[in-house]
Structures are given as C-alpha cells and as structure tokens.
Amino acid sequence: MQSKWYPKKGRVIFHVDMNSFYASVEAAFDPSLKGKPLAIAGNPEERRGIIVTSSYEARKYGVKTTMPLGEARRLCPDLIVMTPTFNRYRTASKEMFKILADVTSLVQPVSIDEGYMDITACADQGSPPEIAESVQQRIKNELDLPCSIGIAPNKFLAKMASDMKKPMGITILRKRDFQEKLWPLPIEEMYGVGNKTAEKLRKIKIETIGDLANHPALELKSMLGINGERLKNRANGLDDRPVDPEAIHEFKSIGTSTTLPHDTIDDSEIQSVLRRLSNKVEVRMKNKKVLARNVQLTIRYHDRKTVTRSRQLNEFIHLGEDLFQTSIQLFDDHWNQQPVRLLGVTASDLAEKSEVTQQLDLFSFEQYASKEKLYKTIDDLTEKYGKNPFRSLSNPADLQVNTSFQKDFLDDFKK
C-alpha cells in the first residue's frame, strides 16, 4: 500500500495553508468570536481604516482584504473589528511550524501562515492522506486553528491543491488529473500569475491555465522573459524545486555597478548613472519578488580608493525611484568632490513581497493605489521609450509600508 503513495522516483509534497489566519487566531484566543463576522483592521477606531484580513463569516458578506472599513461595515453591519495583535500571530505560527517539524525536517516556511513539507521519506508514518489528516487535526486540537493541505508531487501543484478546499480541506492533485482540474481555471487563479501578467496574457488570447500550458514557449519568453517559460512549465505540472529549509537564507542583497567611460565630477552624469543602476536593481528585485529596507552606495575614485556607505530605511521599498533617491542622498553626503571612476547601488535587508504586510489607513492606501497607477504608466512609457521619461515623482517617505511581523517571524525561525 505504501508504495502506491510513495514512488521510487519523485516526491510527495504538502502545502499547508492556515485558513483566515489572523482572524482564526483571534477566535482561538477568544472563543466568543467563533462563527461571527470578524475583521482585522489597521485602524479600526476610524471609519477610514483598511481591512487587513477577515473571517470566512465576514467574507460571505463580501468583506475583502484592503477594503475600506466603512464599506465593509455597510456590507456587514454586524462586523466585529479588531486591531492586529502581532505577537499572538507570531506565537501561533511558531507552534504551527513545530507541529510540521515533528513529521519531517524538510519544512520550508514561505510566510507566517503557510509552508511546504516534503514527506517522501515518511512512509513509516502512514499514507500521505493519513499524515495530512494527522497534521490538520493536531493543529486544530492543539492550537484551535483551521488549515488546508494540498498533496501533490511538486510544490506548484501542492500550492494549487491547498487552495481548492477551504477551510479545513485536504486535496490530492496528481499529475494524471491536474489537466482536468487546473486547465479550465481562469489564468488569474494560477499561482505566480499576478494582475499585470494576466493582463499581458489576455492580450495574446490566453484566458485559462490550459491556454497557457499549450501556448508557444517562444512567444511567452519574448513577452515575459524567463518567467514566461517558467509559467508554461508550471501550467504543464512541471516544477522541480525542492522543499528547502534553508530557502529563508537565500536573499541577502541585489546590486549592480558600472565603471564609467571616464573619470567624472559631472553631477548630472553621476545622477544619470545612479538612476540607471537603481532601475536595474528594481528589475532584479521585481523578478525575485523582494522588497528592500537598506540601500548601499559604492563609490570608487580615480585613485582606486573605494568607499561604501549604506542607509537603513524605516520602510521597505521596491521602486527604482526610491532606490535612486536614497543613493543620491548617500552620494551627496559622502562624495569627497574627487573624480569618480565606478558607482554601484545595492539593495539589502531583503524580504519577499509576500512576507511584508501593508497596514494602511484609507489616506495612505489611496495614495498607494494612485501611485501604483502612476508607476504602471511610467513602466509602460519606459518600456516604449527605453528610459524613465520622468526625473523624480516619488519620495520614499510618502509610502508607509511597515515592516511585518512576518519578516520578524522568519528571522526568528532561522535561529
């Protein structure tokens, strides 16, 4: 029986996804909240607060993440609203991951409320459905928290499977039936396809995951770069990434530098180079889906003397403009007026986008949303004309993106 579940070649992967995690933790802490429409909001004493997450009971009324609190209360007049209690969530997350680690050492946390497990070597503990049910029940019994678990031969299919039944679902997605279950789904429902990518794909008549799986790889690669090829492989059920407990150590810094064609003290030339370097770092950060909270500038002078200076930021950034503004400030503060031969810009103290939570009130959320439209326009023009046609349209201080307890949690998990 076990060989049926545990092939000689290949893996058995779980994706464990906590259901409505923040709201569920609050209900576990205060059982009187169970079964009631509950929302966690960054600023609940004001109508203008923004919904961070909500219980399934609230979602039935149409309450959604990032929705203004006033709108959520109109949809659900009995909505209970609470502020986030980050320490509580972190504690619950650590206990959840301890339960996963009791099954296998091959556990890869990807955020505070989800992670992968490789149970290929766990045949002695039962079949994969039995192990999944045991994990799910332990989390429910010991922490009073619901979760869904996807079982599949790779990480992508396991992730897609865990989304299929919520809350408290266990879904098996085999290679032989993923075409039937996944290919009819709208392209937006595919993990790894965001709104911008979906827009681009629809322009070439890719409406479903199946359309993507069967589209010529060359066109996808020319449109989306290496990510196009990667997404096509995923849509065909191919994903050879291992469950890597060390993956949380992976991102340390992303940087680039250039030697100038001639030594210079020309301020406009120096600014132009720093902007170009910042934009290159932004592209690489986008590809890695990371944000940065530290910017480092490297200056090498005509006599080969090299200095590096960095600035720790109050919030995470991801835009070339923000990287540029910080690097130019560093340059102005530390340049000794001597001719410059090389410049470098590096983003560090990185976190994956999914590990950073934006706690925004309505004002900053609207500001953020309006900026996103502006940045998309700039991106489109840059793509068309080859460079950013605007010099400076943002200030890093304008966008309040607070460091998340999720990042803190991952740091704690490494210890």
Side-chain angles (χ1 to χ4, degrees), residues 180-350:
E180 179 188 340
K181 292 185 177 180
L182 293 190
W183 280 12
L185 297 177
I187 193 63
E188 294 88 350
E189 292 190 27
M190 178 174 166
Y191 177 63
V193 175
N195 290 335
K196 279 188 176 181
T197 302
E199 277 180 36
K200 290 180 179 179
L201 292 173
R202 287 190 180 280
K203 286 177 183 174
I204 56 171
K205 295 185 168 53
I206 294 178
E207 302 285 339
T208 66
I209 296 176
D211 292 339
L212 175 61
N214 293 293
H215 202 83
L218 198 60
E219 187 174 7
L220 291 169
K221 199 168 181 180
S222 66
M223 173 182 278
L224 302 173
I226 193 167
N227 195 44
E229 191 175 358
R230 187 183 298 122
L231 289 174
K232 178 180 170 69
N233 286 337
R234 300 279 194 275
N236 281 290
L238 303 174
D239 181 8
D240 61 1
R241 295 172 300 158
V243 171
D244 181 8
E246 297 300 309
I248 49 178
H249 300 278
E250 186 178 324
F251 299 122
K252 291 191 170 62
S253 66
I254 293 175
T256 189
S257 63
T258 186
T259 301
L260 307 183
H262 51 81
D263 300 343
T264 186
I265 58 170
D266 185 290
D267 185 57
S268 62
E269 185 178 358
I270 286 165
Q271 286 202 29
S272 175
V273 171
L274 289 176
R275 186 181 291 282
R276 191 170 72 246
L277 294 174
S278 298
N279 289 338
K280 282 185 177 179
V281 173
E282 177 193 9
V283 169
R284 290 175 60 192
M285 288 174 66
K286 273 185 179 177
N287 290 339
K288 293 282 188 181
K289 295 183 171 61
V290 294
L291 310 178
R293 209 170 47 155
N294 184 284
V295 177
Q296 177 181 289
L297 174 71
T298 301
I299 307 170
R300 179 174 297 158
Y301 294 103
H302 65 106
D303 58 3
R304 302 195 65 80
K305 179 187 175 185
T306 303
V307 296
T308 56
R309 296 291 182 267
S310 65
R311 178 163 296 170
Q312 191 71 13
L313 307 174
N314 292 326
E315 60 272 341
F316 284 97
I317 62 172
H318 67 290
L319 297 166
E321 184 63 36
D322 293 341
L323 293 163
F324 168 73
Q325 292 292 344
T326 306
S327 61
I328 201 69
Q329 288 168 16
L330 285 166
F331 185 84
D332 289 344
D333 290 346
H334 299 288
W335 181 38
N336 67 8
Q337 307 299 313
Q338 295 298 307
V340 174
R341 176 167 298 179
L342 175 145
L343 289 167
V345 174
T346 300
S348 59
D349 191 3
L350 304 180

Side-chain angles (χ1 to χ4, degrees), residues 73 78 98 111 123 228 305 331 392:
R73 283 192 162 132
D78 296 327
K98 282 181 188 175
S111 74
K305 179 187 175 185
F331 185 84
S392 173

Side-chain angles (χ1 to χ4, degrees), residues 13-243:
I13 307 295
F14 284 4
H15 180 260
V16 181
D17 192 4
M18 304 303 292
N19 301 144
S20 190
F21 184 59
Y22 311 160
S24 296
V25 171
E26 298 297 349
F29 186 79
D30 179 0
S32 70
L33 296 170
K34 285 180 184 285
K36 295 178 181 176
L38 171 66
I40 311 301
N43 205 356
E45 64 274 9
E46 296 185 21
R47 280 187 74 259
R48 300 178 307 155
I50 289 292
I51 301 295
V52 176
T53 189
S54 59
S55 66
Y56 285 95
E57 291 79 9
R59 293 178 193 185
K60 289 174 186 173
Y61 290 88
V63 176
K64 296 177 182 177
T65 300
T66 73
M67 179 179 281
L69 186 52
E71 183 181 349
R73 283 192 162 132
R74 280 195 298 276
L75 290 171
C76 181
D78 296 327
L79 188 67
I80 300 166
V81 184
M82 300 179 66
T83 52
T85 48
F86 298 156
N87 287 338
R88 202 174 285 167
Y89 307 150
R90 186 189 288 115
T91 300
S93 178
K94 284 182 177 177
E95 294 304 312
M96 180 269 288
F97 278 106
K98 282 181 188 175
I99 291 172
L100 305 193
D102 283 346
V103 176
T104 174
S105 61
L106 293 175
V107 175
Q108 179 183 337
V110 291
S111 74
I112 194 170
D113 63 348
E114 63 175 316
Y116 293 101
M117 304 169 65
D118 185 332
I119 65 148
T120 310
C122 298
D124 59 325
Q125 299 182 48
S127 69
E130 288 168 344
I131 295 173
E133 190 170 348
S134 171
V135 167
Q136 189 181 66
Q137 287 306 313
R138 273 196 68 190
I139 293 172
K140 183 65 177 167
N141 295 339
E142 296 177 26
L143 306 179
D144 199 14
L145 296 174
C147 72
S148 292
I149 300 177
I151 305 172
N154 62 50
K155 289 166 82 171
F156 170 73
L157 293 178
K159 169 72 175 175
M160 294 297 292
S162 69
D163 281 338
M164 290 181 172
K165 292 179 191 170
K166 290 185 175 182
M168 290 294 284
I170 294 176
T171 305
I172 300 168
L173 189 54
R174 297 178 177 88
K175 276 193 174 177
R176 65 172 177 262
D177 53 28
F178 83 88
Q179 294 184 9
E180 179 188 340
K181 292 185 177 180
L182 293 190
W183 280 12
L185 297 177
I187 193 63
E188 294 88 350
E189 292 190 27
M190 178 174 166
Y191 177 63
V193 175
N195 290 335
K196 279 188 176 181
T197 302
E199 277 180 36
K200 290 180 179 179
L201 292 173
R202 287 190 180 280
K203 286 177 183 174
I204 56 171
K205 295 185 168 53
I206 294 178
E207 302 285 339
T208 66
I209 296 176
D211 292 339
L212 175 61
N214 293 293
H215 202 83
L218 198 60
E219 187 174 7
L220 291 169
K221 199 168 181 180
S222 66
M223 173 182 278
L224 302 173
I226 193 167
N227 195 44
E229 191 175 358
R230 187 183 298 122
L231 289 174
K232 178 180 170 69
N233 286 337
R234 300 279 194 275
N236 281 290
L238 303 174
D239 181 8
D240 61 1
R241 295 172 300 158
V243 171

